[in-house]
Amino acid sequence: MGNQVLVTDELHDYMVGHGMPLDEIAAELVAETRQLGDISRMLTTADQAALLTTLTRLISARRAVEIGTFTGFSALAIARGLPDDGQLICLDASQEWTSIGQRYWERAGVSSKIELRIGDGHELAAALDGSFDLAFVDADKPGYIDYFERLVQVIRPNGLMLFDNTLAGGRVVGEHSDDPVDRKEFNAHIAKDDRVDVVILGIGDGLTLVRRK
Ligand SMILES: C[S@@+](CC[C@H](N)C(=O)[O-])C[C@H]1O[C@@H](n2cnc3c(N)ncnc32)[C@H](O)[C@@H]1O
């Protein structure tokens, strides 16, 4: 064991409480999503949302793509980091869930920056054109290698790709009956790819930052 801090629930609350706070609109979006029940576990965490906004601003992203939008929480965070004339293309299979997000994007004044495309993420990703500064992937986990191979072609040099849930609750190490083979294969796949630099952050369920060289 190195110098890692064990992030307990209490410490996590402290970290969120001392970082960029959720405003009323984002908090209401999270609250409405929680009313959906168990499925709301798919929500991006508040500290990840703050990181998404910060990274979007840090790299001065103007054009971004998100694969896996759900009720629009992470999209709201990315869109807020974009300039007024920036663009975020959101890809998701669900009209029902994303329509919740659309109401909050409208209220937050970011809907003009967001283009929602409904359908299969792989087909929609294959059809992306132009170049992107930032990509956030939070959809079907067995599809991560395919998404990476597509995005690496359209991300500009020094652009950033982010992949969520890459530590699979910590199950990427040790023996488990529900072994996250997809995440292990994905993590190994990008670790040996010399087109990119890779850093895995222990935030949320594991967030991998991938810089295109
Ligand atoms: C974990 S949720 C995304 C959470 C979201 N990033 C947030 O901020 O709360 C995963 C989303 O991916 C979408 N999804 C899963 N597989 C997909 C696929 N093959 N094509 C398109 N969307 C997909 C689901 O509809 C769901 O909305």
Side-chain angles (χ1 to χ4, degrees):
M1 186 79 189
N3 292 324
Q4 287 296 327
V5 174
L6 177 64
V7 181
T8 59
D9 287 348
E10 185 183 8
L11 187 56
H12 181 255
D13 288 347
Y14 176 89
M15 290 158 62
V16 171
H18 290 76
M20 192 187 293
L22 288 190
D23 73 337
E24 197 181 306
I25 297 172
E28 282 181 31
L29 167 49
V30 169
E32 180 170 344
T33 304
R34 294 240 160 92
Q35 287 173 8
L36 297 174
D38 259 7
I39 199 82
S40 67
R41 279 178 306 168
M42 294 207 296
L43 265 174
T44 296
T45 60
D47 46 356
Q48 285 183 324
L51 182 65
L52 287 173
T53 304
T54 303
L55 290 173
T56 305
R57 289 183 178 144
L58 259 179
I59 66 163
S60 301
R62 305 186 67 80
R63 193 155 187 261
V65 57
E66 172 179 87
I67 309 177
T69 296
F70 189 38
T71 57
F73 182 54
S74 49
L76 177 62
I78 295 167
R80 281 182 155 156
L82 293 170
D84 289 345
D85 62 349
Q87 183 192 33
L88 169 62
I89 298 177
C90 288
L91 314 182
D92 200 286
S94 172
Q95 185 81 63
E96 184 190 342
W97 290 331
T98 52
S99 66
I100 296 174
Q102 283 177 304
R103 285 192 273 113
Y104 289 91
W105 301 339
E106 196 67 48
R107 276 180 60 191
V110 297
S111 58
S112 63
K113 299 185 211 176
I114 302 179
E115 182 185 328
L116 176 63
R117 298 181 184 173
I118 299 294
D120 175 66
H122 298 275
E123 286 171 20
L124 293 171
L128 289 171
D129 55 8
S131 158
F132 291 84
D133 305 300
L134 181 137
F136 177 51
V137 181
D138 190 16
D140 48 307
K141 310 311 166 193
Y144 272 27
I145 291 178
D146 182 60
Y147 289 132
F148 168 79
E149 288 298 337
R150 174 64 191 135
L151 291 170
V152 80
Q153 297 171 17
V154 292
I155 289 284
R156 65 148 160 96
N158 246 338
L160 189 59
M161 293 173 268
L162 301 116
F163 293 83
D164 198 13
N165 306 103
T166 49
L167 293 179
R171 288 177 291 111
V172 289
V173 293
E175 299 281 318
H176 306 277
S177 52
D178 54 346
D179 195 32
V181 178
D182 47 23
R183 257 59 62 82
K184 288 178 168 178
E185 287 179 354
F186 171 72
N187 293 338
H189 182 84
I190 60 170
K192 63 178 185 337
D193 191 317
D194 60 13
R195 293 171 294 178
V196 293
D197 293 327
V198 175
V199 179
I200 304 180
L201 300 180
I203 177 172
D205 191 31
L207 182 70
T208 299
L209 271 56
V210 184
R211 185 188 77 91
R212 180 72 162 104
K213 289 183 185 168

